[in-house]
Amino acid sequence: MSDETRFQWDAMIADVAGGNEIDPYLQQAQGELRDDESVLQLTVSSNWAKNAIESRHVQKLHEWLHRYDPQRSWNIRILVDTAYMPPPDTIDTPADDDTLEMFDPPTEIAPQKVKRLAQRRQIVPLGADTGSGLNPRYTFDSYVVGSSNRLAHAAAMGVAESPDGSKFNPFFIYGGVGLGKTHLLHAIGNKTRERNPNARVLYVSAETFTNDMVDAIRRQETNHIRNKYRTMDVLLMDDIQFLQRKAQTQIEFFHTFNDLHNANKQIVLASDSSPHDMSELEERVKSRFMWGMVASIDAPEVETRIAILQRKADELLIEEFPIEVAEYIAEQVTTNIRELEGTLSTIYRYAELQGRVIDADLVREVLKQDDARMSEVGRPISAATIQRVVADYYRMKVSDLKGKRRTKRLAQVRHIAMYLCRQMTDLSLVDIGQDFGGRDHSTVINACMKIEREIDRDTKLAEIIVQLTRKAQNS
Ligand code: ADP
Ligand code: MG
């Protein structure tokens, strides 16, 4: 691949990340824009990389492609090639062929018919809004209201209509994972910006806030970063539960909160548990969460699940989506809305690939496959599993990985384990640091970058990483 194409890919993913940290899965993929075919082709080294990109980034990549050339109907193709990680001209023939995955057939991700979609979804043009962290897809229009989220939705609308801190300040939303908290935060932000394009709105996760603060403290540039947060008209902070046990960040947050609140600026917070239940939060911070409005989102009842499926089918431009099918899926998938969406898009892709219509038979086939896959490899992998696998492989103790000793070999193995945690789990950098004896998140970043560089040069290490990945997946 030429440097030029590589450069374009880097620029594209930086753009897609919109100022946030770039997902290592994207960074490690090789991306090529095949103009003649209207295809963005990605090459990745494993199925899990492919799955991660499919589930997290396809939408954004499509939006980017649409902005790049709206006239065309783009496809995204992801190839799994285990020989990819090391550049092809440096790879040795693997000694033990069957320990490596063989090539996967390429998957064409169904074109999302972006042109028609764009009219419905109002994809924002490139550069229209950078820095607010808002996702234009998450709006009130695309939010289905049912009894499980009615109160939260109504309050969110109220806040978006008068975000001058006069209504509910702070507005605190809590509920289980995948139930629409993040969506509501963005919807408030998007609505605010729609009504007042000059409003300074910032969506940020508590994790990013923490990382920003930690970095600023280290670089002794806290004033700069404080100003960034304190000059907002609307601050939308997600996953507030993350602040628990982070005493220093809580203090910073407390001051930010007070400044904004005193200036009648709107604060909206989302968390996976109610303020009462966040035991590891300072009392004075907790009590402020209850000053304004607290609303919960519950798991959706079956009627709402059906309505959501119908809405999503509409967004995917699925032309025929029988009510029996919606009912069937809604009965099978009850946990949360993210899972509901994921199931529908799997069904959609399956139908497209096979050139079939979506009917009850097809849905049953897909759900059965899903079940089988879940019981094989669907278990989430924990940091502890990875540590054990890595320690076993190098004949060390897990306690060595967490300990303070820093011989060269030990440090290298520790870095490998950190790298795998970052790749294979959803843990944050801070959490990974904690799992390795309370190390700093920047240590984890450095470890990951180092291993990535080494993998590029060292075929042997690349193979070991593949092997360790499989071991962790299978254990
Ligand atoms: P949470 O932040 O609570 O974990 P999200 O807001 O990320 O959940 O929602 C998960 C997915 O479900 C998102 O894609 C979101 O758009 C979708 N979703 C959640 N609630 C609704 C709803 N009421 N109507 C339509 N889509 C929803
Ligand atoms: Mg969320």
Side-chain angles (χ1 to χ4, degrees):
M1 157 149 315
S2 72
D3 283 352
E4 196 184 27
T5 334
R6 180 73 211 171
F7 170 75
Q8 287 178 346
W9 170 239
D10 288 345
M12 173 173 181
I13 58 179
D15 219 13
V16 166
N20 296 315
E21 196 187 330
I22 298 173
D23 187 327
Y25 286 120
L26 282 179
Q27 223 155 22
Q28 282 171 12
Q30 184 183 55
E32 225 180 317
L33 206 54
R34 306 204 149 191
D35 254 338
D36 47 334
E37 296 177 82
S38 297
V39 160
L40 171 71
Q41 179 169 304
L42 308 188
T43 308
V44 297
S45 59
S46 69
N47 272 324
W48 39 270
K50 181 176 129 201
N51 292 339
I53 292 176
E54 275 181 11
S55 64
R56 298 184 204 160
H57 302 296
V58 159
Q59 178 66 36
K60 286 225 158 139
L61 293 173
H62 265 300
E63 286 173 5
W64 190 96
L65 291 166
H66 175 73
R67 294 190 300 249
Y68 178 76
D69 186 349
Q71 301 309 321
R72 272 195 272 177
S73 173
W74 289 95
N75 273 310
I76 298 176
R77 183 187 298 149
I78 306 184
L79 305 172
V80 177
D81 174 1
T82 48
Y84 162 60
M85 249 208 258
D89 51 333
T90 64
I91 191 165
D92 297 333
T93 319
D96 189 2
D97 253 347
D98 58 9
T99 64
L100 294 173
E101 294 170 293
M102 293 326 299
F103 284 65
D104 257 26
T107 332
E108 291 273 353
I109 294 167
Q112 310 228 342
K113 297 163 202 162
V114 264
K115 203 164 160 196
R116 278 160 68 199
L117 269 186
Q119 291 158 359
R120 290 198 195 184
R121 275 198 202 149
Q122 303 176 316
I123 293 175
V124 279
L126 193 61
D129 176 24
T130 49
S132 70
L134 291 174
N135 181 338
R137 207 163 67 84
Y138 290 158
T139 59
F140 283 117
D141 282 347
S142 61
Y143 199 77
V144 176
V145 184
S147 55
S148 56
N149 57 24
R150 183 162 284 121
L151 178 64
H153 172 265
M157 288 284 269
V159 165
E161 269 155 27
S162 51
D164 51 7
S166 64
K167 263 242 162 74
F168 311 116
N169 206 15
F171 172 37
F172 189 104
I173 310 169
Y174 72 92
V177 71
L179 296 181
K181 304 180 295 294
T182 297
H183 189 134
L184 269 188
L185 290 188
H186 285 277
I188 293 171
N190 284 321
K191 186 77 175 181
T192 306
R193 296 275 308 221
E194 192 185 302
R195 296 171 63 97
N196 174 10
N198 297 323
R200 280 161 303 179
V201 178
L202 181 65
Y203 167 88
V204 71
S205 70
E207 178 176 11
T208 305
F209 179 80
T210 304
N211 291 345
D212 271 7
M213 288 302 169
V214 171
D215 276 350
I217 291 167
R218 176 165 343 92
R219 284 192 265 113
Q220 301 187 316
E221 286 173 2
T222 40
N223 281 341
H224 172 73
I225 199 78
R226 280 177 191 154
N227 285 336
K228 166 177 160 190
Y229 286 100
R230 292 179 198 181
T231 51
M232 288 298 149
D233 296 317
V234 178
L235 178 64
L236 308 157
M237 197 179 290
D238 207 347
D239 295 317
I240 279 289
Q241 71 275 0
F242 190 85
L243 292 184
Q244 291 183 97
R245 292 188 302 277
K246 314 253 172 357
Q248 179 74 35
T249 311
Q250 281 181 39
I251 294 171
E252 284 298 336
F253 176 80
F254 181 73
H255 294 308
T256 306
F257 183 102
N258 289 344
D259 285 356
L260 288 169
H261 201 270
N262 289 338
N264 291 324
K265 303 300 188 186
Q266 181 67 48
I267 304 160
V268 185
L269 308 165
S271 168
D272 69 356
S273 42
S274 84
H276 290 288
D277 295 335
M278 293 202 280
S279 52
E280 307 283 342
L281 210 57
E282 260 196 68
E283 220 32 66
R284 56 179 185 164
V285 174
K286 209 192 304 195
S287 72
R288 271 164 178 72
F289 290 166
M290 294 180 268
W291 277 1
M293 165 86 179
V294 178
S296 70
I297 303 185
D298 300 318
E301 346 60 68
V302 68
E303 294 81 1
T304 312
R305 298 204 295 278
I306 293 172
I308 288 171
L309 283 166
Q310 286 171 327
R311 165 62 68 90
K312 306 281 170 188
D314 202 37
E315 284 175 14
L316 287 168
L317 303 170
I318 296 173
E319 265 146 35
E320 269 182 61
F321 191 64
I323 178 76
E324 308 85 65
V325 169
E327 283 169 357
Y328 182 71
I329 303 171
E331 274 160 27
Q332 302 295 313
V333 183
T334 55
T335 42
N336 71 48
I337 297 168
R338 185 170 300 134
E339 197 151 328
L340 213 52
E341 272 185 352
T343 307
L344 182 65
S345 67
T346 310
I347 290 169
Y348 171 60
R349 243 182 280 145
Y350 187 81
E352 285 254 331
L353 273 174
Q354 303 221 341
R356 291 167 55 185
V357 295
I358 298 179
D359 58 16
D361 281 345
L362 180 128
V363 170
R364 262 191 288 274
E365 271 172 51
V366 173
L367 291 180
K368 222 189 297 156
Q369 281 183 4
D370 247 27
D371 274 359
R373 207 158 11 111
M374 288 296 276
S375 53
E376 275 171 38
V377 294
R379 288 168 295 116
I381 292 165
S382 68
T385 304
I386 293 171
Q387 288 171 334
R388 185 164 40 73
V389 165
V390 173
D392 281 355
Y393 183 89
Y394 287 102
R395 299 179 205 291
M396 289 179 175
K397 292 201 234 74
V398 170
S399 58
D400 288 335
L401 294 179
K402 300 186 179 192
K404 293 271 174 277
R405 269 195 324 130
R406 302 198 39 174
T407 64
K408 199 165 168 215
R409 177 173 138 85
L410 194 50
Q412 170 77 355
V413 174
R414 195 178 283 140
H415 291 161
I416 290 173
M418 286 178 174
Y419 170 82
L420 287 171
C421 286
R422 184 65 181 166
Q423 294 287 307
M424 300 186 70
T425 72
D426 283 336
L427 293 172
S428 68
L429 295 166
V430 175
D431 288 337
I432 294 172
Q434 241 147 32
D435 284 328
F436 284 82
R439 290 180 156 81
D440 201 299
H441 80 282
S442 61
T443 309
V444 182
I445 294 185
N446 288 334
C448 293
M449 291 195 329
K450 180 165 156 282
I451 297 298
E452 268 162 33
R453 276 196 307 273
E454 286 174 13
I455 285 171
D456 272 346
R457 277 186 274 116
D458 182 350
T459 322
K460 188 90 192 304
L461 177 66
E463 267 176 44
I464 292 175
I465 297 275
V466 173
Q467 271 186 39
L468 289 172
T469 304
R470 311 210 95 214
K471 281 189 207 282
Q473 273 168 342
N474 295 331
S475 72

